[in-house]
Amino acid sequence: MKQYHIAAIGELNVDIILNGIESEPEIGKEKFARDMTVTLGSSTAIFAANAAALGSKVCFVGLVGRDSFGELVCSSLEAKGVDTRFIKKGNTPTGATVCMNYGEDRANLTYQGAMDVMDFEDIHPEVFEQCSHIHLSSLFMQSGLLKDIHKILDMAALKGITVSLDTQWDPLEKWNLDYTAVLPKVSVFLPNEKELQALTGTSDLESAIGKVLPYLGNAMVVKCGSKGSLLVKKDGSRSFLPAFLNKNVVDAIGAGDSFNSGFVSAFVKGLPLEDCQKTGNLTGAVNTTGAGGTGAFTSLEAVRRICKEKFQETIAL
Ligand SMILES: Nc1ncnc2c1ncn2[C@@H]1O[C@H](COP(=O)(O)OP(=O)(O)O)[C@@H](O)[C@H]1O
Ligand SMILES: [Mg+2]
């Protein structure tokens, strides 16, 4: 028996969220924000926290600095039930994102810090002995992991570990990832519509699917925001599942990560891909009923209740 269903490997940082800012920052001036929240950020961390809340046994594999942000990251994950023993402390400071909210719009500024330095050597060999599944996210924010992607995928294959990958957006928009070599080693590829098109250099979803289909290891799910998601299997069969529409969206921050946490939690239980997709659509929708990426995921019981009361659905977890 392996100790963990899922090892989440990837980025860790802190979000410093500023609200009620009087006007845009200007060089040489000082301005006030009315409100500040300092919280666990990063897409892989939101994924891990929510998968743990959904009942999966999750460990996090990452790198932080020897600083108070690193401690905040670890204690926040532990509070969510994520095992942090594979989080290393190194000499590069823990990164942070300053999120400046202006009503509906926001400006983000990120210092990547330790997450950009982490590479294959920082992954404890025991991770590959103790997990059944690896989830990788935000590759383009982590140049060390991007460089070593094949080392990770090959070791996973050797140990019989399934892999899910959500590349997320490339802030530099270079999309420097050879999907023809990477995707065959990935069990579930989880991009959103825009990312899939950018990665494949196409301008419509059909052409993008056509490009990746010959290389799919097993399956892909394309996340389409409030429209829902499209499951594409290796054999070319497809099923589109409309979103469980939430009429009172609090915010959609982390909806994609929450989708991933539901999909992968169902996948590691061995459920059919269609059931994993439905679970993902549900957890994506549940995400929009609470603040930020983890607000709605207090426990599996709470998530079950939201599914029943808001969406008249039963979650397969
Ligand atoms: N407003 C919404 N109401 C209900 N479900 C939603 C809503 N927005 C997103 N979702 C669900 O969450 C999933 C992931 O969201 P999406 O925004 O596509 O991901 P990403 O954050 O990766 O772009 C969608 O496929 C959908 O099922
Ligand atoms: Mg996403």
Side-chain angles (χ1 to χ4, degrees):
M1 261 299 277
K2 304 244 183 148
Q3 201 175 344
Y4 306 103
H5 299 120
I6 305 166
I9 303 183
E11 95 277 28
L12 286 170
N13 78 345
V14 164
D15 279 346
I16 302 166
I17 304 167
L18 300 172
N19 283 308
I21 306 170
E22 52 185 3
S23 61
E24 284 167 32
E26 285 174 70
I27 307 290
K29 290 193 179 175
E30 175 138 1
K31 302 200 171 173
F32 290 122
R34 256 187 286 114
D35 177 62
M36 177 178 83
T37 310
V38 181
T39 181
L40 175 67
S42 75
S43 137
T44 318
I46 292 170
F47 163 85
N50 292 349
L54 292 170
S56 296
K57 280 188 231 143
V58 185
C59 65
F60 204 101
V61 185
L63 184 66
V64 293
R66 292 176 222 281
D67 45 34
S68 52
F69 278 177
E71 279 160 30
L72 174 83
V73 159
C74 290
S75 60
S76 306
L77 283 171
E78 279 157 22
K80 294 281 184 177
V82 177
D83 194 321
T84 60
R85 71 184 173 113
F86 297 120
I87 297 180
K88 264 179 72 172
K89 291 190 172 67
N91 294 326
T92 310
T94 311
T97 296
V98 180
C99 314
M100 287 165 278
N101 283 329
Y102 301 93
E104 296 279 285
D105 286 328
R106 53 162 56 190
N108 288 354
L109 192 59
T110 292
Y111 165 65
Q112 289 159 278
M115 72 162 93
D116 198 37
V117 175
M118 182 191 169
D119 63 17
F120 181 74
E121 302 302 319
D122 295 309
I123 304 173
H124 197 289
E126 213 186 317
V127 171
F128 295 100
E129 304 299 331
Q130 288 301 337
C131 73
S132 331
H133 182 93
I134 285 174
H135 179 75
L136 288 164
S137 183
S138 308
L139 280 187
F140 301 111
M141 309 247 283
Q142 307 177 86
S143 56
L145 278 192
L146 185 60
K147 152 182 83 70
D148 287 347
I149 183 76
H150 285 286
K151 287 188 188 170
I152 301 170
L153 296 176
D154 292 342
M155 183 61 88
L158 188 70
K159 300 287 179 182
I161 297 167
T162 51
V163 177
S164 47
L165 169 69
D166 182 345
T167 64
Q168 306 281 13
W169 189 253
D170 178 5
L172 299 174
E173 299 193 37
K174 288 187 181 159
W175 300 95
N176 192 10
L177 178 78
D178 180 3
Y179 62 85
T180 68
V182 165
L183 292 184
K185 303 176 185 176
V186 169
S187 325
V188 193
F189 180 40
L190 299 159
N192 72 18
E193 250 178 316
K194 261 173 47 197
E195 291 153 1
L196 182 65
Q197 288 172 31
L199 178 70
T200 53
T202 53
S203 52
D204 65 283
L205 186 56
E206 269 314 306
S207 317
I209 295 171
K211 289 257 185 187
V212 295
L213 190 57
Y215 306 103
L216 289 185
N218 178 35
M220 164 171 81
V221 186
V222 188
K223 289 167 279 177
C224 310
S226 58
K227 287 183 285 177
S229 65
L230 176 68
L231 170 66
V232 182
K233 293 190 196 172
K234 189 182 165 65
D235 66 9
S237 62
R238 301 170 185 203
S239 38
F240 182 79
L241 185 65
F244 296 100
L245 220 44
N246 176 15
K247 289 171 211 102
N248 304 304
V249 172
V250 175
D251 66 59
I253 298 168
D257 306 316
S258 297
F259 177 100
N260 295 346
S261 69
F263 188 100
V264 174
S265 292
F267 185 77
V268 297
K269 283 184 103 181
L271 298 184
L273 289 167
E274 287 77 8
D275 293 353
C276 301
Q277 180 187 19
K278 181 178 172 188
T279 308
N281 268 24
L282 271 173
T283 50
V286 166
N287 177 98
T288 66
T289 67
T294 58
F297 293 81
T298 48
S299 69
L300 181 54
E301 273 319 301
V303 170
R304 282 199 184 116
R305 203 174 324 117
I306 296 170
C307 289
K308 205 165 209 166
E309 287 171 7
K310 298 233 159 146
F311 307 110
Q312 292 75 51
E313 288 289 342
T314 306
I315 191 163
L317 295 174

